[in-house]
Amino acid sequence: MAYSETRIVIGGLAHIPVLIVIANFIKGKFKVKKEKAKETLAKEDPVKVIEVKETLVKENKTNAIKEISNKLDNIEEKADKVYEKVKKEKKDKKKKKKKDMKRD
């Protein structure tokens, strides 16, 4: 049995409110979970700071932290250099491929 275009369009339009209701239902379910997560984050206790009274311990800790920080900076610099080198090599390979394709 064949249907006219008008009947098909009307049938499609009749389903739009159903789809909107389903979309709003799903949206509402996820929105509630988000609000609960925000509430739990707001209720967490702040971090407690413990002060050390001995200056020697503080100096040793700060020196260790400075050394680790310097090492991390050096590692980051080396990683950047390696990244740039790899990037340059990839670029050179692409140029070489283009030259080889043009020769053929």
Side-chain angles (χ1 to χ4, degrees):
M1 177 178 218
Y3 294 105
S4 67
E5 289 181 27
T6 309
R7 192 169 188 174
I8 292 172
V9 170
I10 292 172
L13 292 175
H15 285 84
I16 291 175
V18 175
L19 295 175
I20 291 172
V21 169
I22 292 171
N24 285 334
F25 178 74
I26 293 170
K27 185 177 164 185
K29 288 292 182 182
F30 286 112
K31 189 174 183 180
V32 172
K33 289 180 182 179
K34 242 185 193 179
E35 289 175 4
K36 286 182 182 177
K38 287 180 183 177
E39 289 174 8
T40 55
L41 289 176
K43 292 179 182 178
E44 289 182 8
D45 295 331
V47 178
K48 294 180 182 178
V49 178
I50 300 172
E51 293 184 25
V52 180
K53 294 181 180 178
E54 297 177 19
T55 57
L56 293 176
V57 174
K58 283 185 179 179
E59 289 176 9
N60 289 337
K61 285 185 179 181
T62 55
N63 288 337
I65 291 171
K66 285 180 183 178
E67 287 177 22
I68 292 171
S69 177
N70 289 336
K71 288 179 183 178
L72 285 173
D73 289 340
N74 290 336
I75 292 171
E76 285 180 350
E77 288 175 9
K78 288 179 183 178
D80 289 340
K81 288 178 184 177
V82 169
Y83 175 75
E84 291 298 325
K85 192 174 185 180
V86 168
K87 192 175 177 182
K88 184 178 179 184
E89 287 177 2
K90 284 183 179 180
K91 215 178 214 183
D92 291 341
K93 284 182 182 179
K94 285 183 180 179
K95 286 181 181 179
K96 189 175 181 182
K97 282 184 181 181
K98 285 183 181 179
K99 285 181 182 178
D100 291 342
M101 291 181 81
K102 287 181 180 179
R103 289 183 186 172
D104 292 339

